[in-house]
Amino acid sequence: MASNFHWIRVKAICYATEDEDLICDVVSAMTGAEELDIDISEGLHNNPLTVVDANLTKNKEFATVFRTLGKDIVDQILESIEDRVDDDCVFYVRFDKQKAVCGEYEITHGGDVISLTAKIMSHPARKEVAVGVLRDYLRNLFPQDSPQ
């Protein structure tokens, strides 16, 4: 089976007032990743921050992420797919972190988020080709009644 992505990265920032274990659990649940990269950093006012990353490189892991998000989210991504892929064939979407903690995934433009970034495999490496690859991939995950 050919791969559709070079990699997918799911990242969340855990602030000092948040439960780091809970944020790790949310990222693990979203990605199926057993191992997460944890980086301790400092915020603007010297507040401690923990950056939680899941770096995925296998087809099975890629499918897990999108299936976990569910058909409704995939349909929303398909509706705005052109705006979510840049000229370097990288796909971007952000989810409300507080809702994800409650087990709901909602696309947002806010700042307190879980971000998903994916490098799409496209030949030639052009935005139009990458959009087509991603569109076909998402439609095939949930083949019935996908828009566009």
Side-chain angles (χ1 to χ4, degrees):
M1 174 199 260
S3 184
N4 293 288
F5 301 98
H6 292 281
W7 49 260
I8 292 179
R9 181 178 183 201
V10 177
K11 176 174 119 177
I13 296 174
C14 180
Y15 298 98
T17 57
E18 296 176 319
D19 181 344
E20 182 180 323
D21 290 335
L22 181 59
I23 300 303
C24 288
D25 289 347
V26 169
V27 172
S28 288
M30 180 185 268
T31 62
E34 293 179 15
E35 290 187 32
L36 301 174
D37 294 331
I38 308 293
D39 185 30
I40 307 299
S41 190
E42 224 173 65
L44 181 63
H45 301 289
N46 299 325
N47 296 328
L49 299 175
T50 303
V51 180
V52 179
D53 276 314
N55 294 297
L56 312 175
T57 57
K58 298 180 177 125
N59 287 338
K60 183 178 177 181
E61 296 170 325
F62 304 152
T64 297
V65 172
F66 290 105
R67 286 193 178 112
T68 299
L69 293 173
K71 186 179 183 326
D72 290 341
I73 293 294
V74 167
D75 287 345
Q76 289 175 42
I77 291 169
L78 285 166
E79 290 172 10
S80 61
I81 199 166
E82 298 276 342
D83 298 327
R84 297 192 174 281
V85 177
D86 69 13
D87 290 336
D88 292 323
C89 304
V90 178
F91 164 72
Y92 301 91
V93 65
R94 301 162 105 195
F95 301 96
D96 184 293
K97 184 170 61 177
Q98 299 309 316
K99 290 196 177 186
V101 165
C102 297
E104 298 175 40
Y105 299 112
E106 181 179 295
I107 294 175
T108 188
H109 300 287
D112 192 21
V113 299
I114 297 173
S115 64
L116 185 154
T117 309
K119 177 69 171 177
I120 303 165
M121 219 177 254
S122 65
H123 305 285
R126 291 196 326 253
K127 178 180 178 172
E128 307 79 39
V129 176
V131 166
V133 167
L134 181 59
R135 182 179 285 126
D136 290 346
Y137 177 78
L138 295 175
R139 283 180 177 162
N140 287 329
L141 281 177
F142 300 99
Q144 300 173 345
D145 303 320
S146 289
Q148 303 180 2

